Amino acid sequence: MKLKLTAVFLLFSFIRFSFAQDPLIVNTYNRDVTSLNGQWHFIVDPYENGFYNYRYEPFEKQENPGNGAFFNNAKAKSKTDLIEYNFDKSDTIAVPSDWNTQKEKLFYYEGTVWYKKSFDYLVSKSSNRVFVYFEASNYETDVYFNGKKLGKHTGGFTPFNFEVTNLLKEKNNFLVVKVDNKRKKEGVPTLNTDWWNYGGLTRGVKVIETPNTFINDYMIQLDPKNNESIKGEISLNGKNNANQNVTIAIPELNINYNTVTDNSGLATFEISHTDILYWSTINPKLYNVTIETNQDKTIDQIGFRTIATKGSDILLNGESIFLKGISIHEESPIRGGRGHSKEDAHQLLLWAKELGCNYVRLSHYPHNEHMLRLADQMGILVWEENPVYWTIQWENKDTYENAKQQLSEVIDRDKNRASVIIWSMANETPTSEARNEFLSNLTKFTREKDPTRLISAALEQSDYNGNKFVRTISDEFANKVDILSFNQYIGWYDGLVEKCATISWKIDLDKPVVISEFGAGAKYGLHGDKHTRWTEEYQEYLYIETLKMLSSIEQLRGISPWILVDFRSPRRVLPEIQDNWNRKGLISEKGEKKMAFFILKSFYEAKQ
Ligand code: GCU
């Protein structure tokens, strides 16, 4: 019996280990890569017939899965062969992109779609290693290469990569990817959200070739306690990663620093410098930073700044700053659907700049890397959020591991971005002991992984001692955050606009307050008196009254109204007004600016 149990344990850990992800490769944005973007063949498989046999047993768990397993990309070789699928004769779809806005039949589709891409690949040096890298895929993704399972990834908004070095051929490689966007109670997010569940390979896919031992991961930022010290750690991946020379060069600062990795391939360093031009919203200075070993080299553009709180103040490079923000969903303002391109990101950030913003809240999940790279260049501060949204399964250990994994991935991808100042743990989650523990553990994990940034979450406000005209934050988790943020919808979900003038705030915590959401729905072009819902006048009136109301909060240090652009949501079905769009945007999905846009713009112009 004991022997049997050990055998089962060993088998289980082999499966878990063998399908675990490889460490995320950092700064692929600047690496030479081979893009696999373009048209991919696809098969819609609602019954997951390509994954399970008729006994609903997974093919991938079988010794000889046979021709039913789509990951084998099988073809009939003789007239008697029975194969009931053929990728190369199947329709194609664009990657990166969601499937919902590409194929009308898939607009509401939630389930499994198989993707297949064939490609030849000649390694430039036989000792090199090769990885496939996914910028994001929503939601559950099983990846197979030349018929072999590489691994599985859960979470729709963060990158992952797998090594294919030993499986690679010069000709006719085939990458088969099963993407399933079914919503799950135990998922992160869970069943219920207020955004469209766009499915698919929503961001780019690329092949990365590296030297045998390469620069896998690094973090180089200012020491939060000493702005004349650049602190960093670099980890090498490969057999020869121990005792390796590593050079960090920042030519503009005359820095050419040498260090050596320890036995685990990790090098840490601190470099003093008294003349750093700090990254700021006024002057978003980025330095070219080169990391070099005897085998590998990577260059990144990094800004050096400190971000901290002092009492109820937010200090950027030691100076008080007010976060003039707006919330944004990752939808393409150009094509509609899930945003992924540099143009998508640029348009959204240009509109934010036009509003007078120095800050954006990327909600409710990590957006694509273009957003952060452009925010670095444009001098826009960023709140990034993990999709722990509304009521997820707080007691479910796998749900916690899933949330932690997604958080870990976004931190790894963006920890060298000066623009990112806040990691948000969650949005509008109901207080309970299990929830508090869940969020506190995520916060602890984040502070250990990245001690240079601030922690927050979009909390909910409530009556002060039962007095509904006095509002407060009575949430235990508020004690764990650096920035006290909450969503409030007085005048939309909570009474009418006139209520704003009757409300006062009693917030006892000596922390900066940033209102993560407020807003009202308005259909562009619909006009009427300011008391008529869905008119631009109502939304404008709400903005005017809300900005007045919030300005009475002593600790107010920022706002990110809901939301920059109207966005798709299956929860919004009012005909002729919503038609599957949440209409709280200041800009319509066609790029038309509503009256409230100009109220916020002039508020920011007046705000120092
Ligand atoms: C919530 C939520 C958003 C949602 C918004 C709304 O506060 O955080 O995701 O879209 O309100 O109701 O419009």
Side-chain angles (χ1 to χ4, degrees):
M1 180 58 175
K2 193 156 171 292
L3 200 62
K4 204 152 169 255
L5 278 177
T6 324
V8 171
F9 170 75
L10 283 174
L11 175 67
F12 182 72
S13 48
F14 166 73
I15 290 172
R16 262 181 76 87
F17 177 75
S18 62
F19 289 154
Q21 269 144 247
D22 294 327
L24 187 67
I25 302 173
V26 164
N27 195 29
T28 63
Y29 207 80
N30 288 313
R31 272 194 182 271
D32 291 340
V33 301
T34 303
S35 171
L36 293 179
N37 294 350
Q39 291 295 315
W40 290 49
H41 288 285
F42 76 102
I43 299 174
V44 182
D45 187 13
Y47 283 45
E48 301 192 309
N49 186 46
F51 186 78
Y52 297 104
N53 66 12
Y54 80 118
R55 290 275 175 254
Y56 222 68
E57 299 153 341
F59 285 121
E60 66 179 30
K61 295 267 170 16
Q62 290 163 5
E63 199 68 33
N64 303 309
N67 289 334
F70 285 9
F71 55 74
N72 280 333
N73 184 29
K75 297 271 181 317
K77 291 196 185 64
S78 75
K79 65 181 179 186
T80 57
D81 273 356
L82 173 59
I83 298 184
E84 297 184 281
Y85 71 95
N86 183 325
F87 273 111
D88 293 335
K89 288 198 174 139
S90 303
D91 189 6
T92 63
I93 196 165
V95 170
S97 179
D98 58 272
W99 59 60
N100 313 71
T101 54
Q102 286 193 71
K103 306 288 175 183
E104 206 187 330
K105 283 195 210 127
L106 299 179
F107 185 63
Y108 287 104
Y109 181 66
E110 296 184 295
T112 283
V113 170
W114 292 83
Y115 288 77
K116 195 276 293 182
K117 186 77 172 178
S118 295
F119 62 97
D120 301 341
Y121 193 89
L122 190 59
V123 180
S124 57
K125 200 171 156 199
S126 60
S127 60
N128 279 358
R129 296 163 67 190
V130 180
F131 299 80
V132 284
Y133 182 99
F134 295 82
E135 292 167 5
S137 167
N138 191 46
Y139 172 73
E140 215 163 66
T141 308
D142 292 87
V143 183
Y144 307 83
F145 190 68
N146 291 343
K148 292 277 174 294
K149 176 88 187 239
L150 295 180
K152 186 183 187 73
H153 181 264
T154 302
F157 306 100
T158 48
F160 54 99
N161 46 250
F162 299 108
E163 182 158 10
V164 295
T165 309
N166 303 330
L167 299 169
L168 195 69
K169 301 178 295 180
E170 229 174 270
K171 294 277 179 211
N172 302 323
N173 296 289
F174 56 92
L175 181 59
V176 173
V177 187
K178 172 185 183 294
V179 184
D180 179 2
N181 74 333
K182 276 196 290 298
R183 288 168 289 120
K184 301 194 166 151
K185 200 156 183 29
E186 69 278 15
V188 179
T190 182
L191 293 169
N192 195 10
T193 73
D194 190 26
W195 67 80
W196 205 268
N197 183 24
Y198 293 114
L201 294 174
T202 50
R203 297 181 193 154
V205 184
K206 50 197 171 188
V207 176
I208 301 176
E209 185 174 337
T210 71
N212 199 277
T213 297
F214 68 97
I215 301 161
N216 191 136
D217 186 13
Y218 59 86
M219 181 168 180
I220 302 179
Q221 290 281 290
L222 272 188
D223 178 347
K225 298 190 192 60
N226 171 6
N227 64 4
E228 293 186 343
S229 170
I230 297 174
K231 277 182 90 169
E233 56 180 50
I234 297 166
S235 79
L236 305 187
N237 178 333
K239 285 201 283 303
N240 312 319
N241 63 355
N243 311 314
Q244 291 297 308
N245 291 325
V246 182
T247 305
I248 300 100
I250 311 179
E252 283 178 274
L253 293 175
N254 292 322
I255 289 176
N256 210 350
Y257 187 90
N258 294 304
T259 180
V260 180
T261 55
D262 62 17
N263 290 338
S264 70
L266 184 72
T268 59
F269 61 88
E270 283 188 40
I271 306 170
S272 302
H273 202 289
T274 54
D275 195 19
I276 299 168
L277 199 51
Y278 297 118
W279 182 97
S280 74
T281 55
I282 313 296
N283 181 13
K285 171 63 187 170
L286 298 174
Y287 286 96
N288 279 324
V289 178
T290 302
I291 304 166
E292 198 160 359
T293 66
N294 62 3
Q295 287 193 37
D296 195 16
K297 180 178 177 176
T298 189
I299 302 177
D300 203 349
Q301 301 72 36
I302 300 180
F304 299 111
R305 54 97 188 95
T306 59
I307 187 74
T309 64
K310 190 165 170 238
S312 64
D313 233 341
I314 300 173
L315 305 177
L316 176 64
N317 300 322
E319 287 181 28
S320 172
I321 187 163
F322 185 93
L323 302 182
K324 301 191 266 187
I326 191 77
S327 294
I328 301 179
H329 255 304
E330 187 190 42
E331 274 196 349
S332 167
I334 300 156
R335 293 177 320 282
R338 179 63 69 210
H340 60 79
S341 69
K342 197 168 184 176
E343 296 68 37
D344 294 335
H346 198 219
Q347 180 58 73
L348 293 169
L349 293 176
L350 279 178
W351 278 335
K353 276 269 183 185
E354 198 184 328
L355 254 180
C357 294
N358 60 8
Y359 163 70
V360 291
R361 175 187 177 212
L362 302 184
S363 37
H364 294 291
Y365 39 77
H367 290 207
N368 63 76
E369 193 171 349
H370 295 300
M371 237 10 201
L372 293 314
R373 294 279 177 173
L374 285 169
D376 263 16
Q377 291 160 21
M378 295 167 77
I380 299 177
L381 298 162
V382 173
W383 155 306
E384 283 214 84
E385 188 159 290
N386 203 28
V388 173
Y389 181 93
W390 287 346
T391 314
I392 69 168
Q393 289 191 333
W394 309 110
E395 276 114 3
N396 184 327
K397 292 281 166 281
D398 289 339
T399 299
Y400 177 77
E401 288 307 320
N402 176 355
K404 185 178 165 194
Q405 175 71 21
Q406 294 188 48
L407 192 53
S408 178
E409 289 165 355
V410 66
I411 295 174
D412 278 337
R413 187 193 72 183
D414 298 337
K415 59 192 172 191
N416 293 298
R417 305 280 73 77
S419 55
V420 180
I421 56 166
I422 302 170
W423 299 117
S424 166
M425 299 299 113
N427 179 73
E428 290 188 353
T429 50
T431 55
S432 73
E433 210 173 303
R435 171 264 197 182
N436 294 345
E437 191 192 339
F438 191 110
L439 296 187
S440 302
N441 291 339
L442 285 180
T443 301
K444 186 166 171 295
F445 167 73
T446 304
R447 289 198 192 283
E448 282 157 13
K449 195 172 171 72
D450 176 10
T452 69
R453 291 181 174 84
L454 306 174
I455 302 276
S456 191
L459 306 177
E460 294 180 298
Q461 43 88 28
S462 55
D463 301 354
Y464 185 74
N465 290 347
N467 177 346
K468 62 182 180 8
F469 294 107
V470 181
R471 297 298 169 88
T472 188
I473 305 297
S474 56
D475 184 331
E476 213 183 292
F477 185 60
N479 301 318
K480 296 279 170 73
V481 297
D482 303 305
I483 301 256
L484 189 57
S485 282
F486 58 90
N487 300 349
Q488 69 82 32
Y489 281 92
I490 295 164
W492 185 254
Y493 293 124
D494 176 358
L496 299 173
V497 180
E498 287 71 25
K499 189 168 187 173
C500 292
T502 70
I503 298 292
S504 61
W505 298 85
K506 184 147 181 39
I507 299 173
D508 303 330
L509 289 167
D510 183 22
K511 292 183 179 186
V513 168
V514 173
I515 310 298
S516 30
E517 287 181 39
F518 71 81
K523 175 84 191 284
Y524 175 77
L526 186 63
H527 291 286
D529 65 68
K530 66 182 182 184
H531 303 292
T532 304
R533 283 187 187 264
W534 306 114
T535 61
E536 290 191 44
E537 285 77 7
Y538 189 112
Q539 188 188 46
E540 179 193 48
Y541 180 34
L542 180 130
Y543 268 71
I544 293 168
E545 292 302 306
T546 301
L547 292 169
K548 252 190 258 163
M549 171 186 69
L550 296 176
S551 300
S552 70
I553 299 175
E554 261 170 65
Q555 305 99 317
L556 187 71
R557 286 293 175 279
I559 57 174
S560 56
W562 192 258
I563 184 166
L564 182 64
V565 187
D566 291 353
F567 62 96
R568 272 209 181 90
S569 166
R571 300 176 71 247
R572 310 295 170 171
V573 294
L574 183 62
E576 293 156 19
I577 298 275
Q578 294 178 317
D579 299 315
N580 281 147
W581 295 93
N582 181 311
R583 293 291 181 199
K584 295 193 181 68
L586 294 176
I587 302 174
S588 77
E589 78 281 10
K590 299 195 184 82
E592 303 142 322
K593 297 186 178 74
K594 303 175 191 177
M595 294 161 71
F597 178 97
F598 303 100
I599 297 298
L600 189 61
K601 184 176 166 65
S602 43
F603 177 79
Y604 285 157
E605 272 156 10
K607 190 94 195 151
Q608 287 318 309

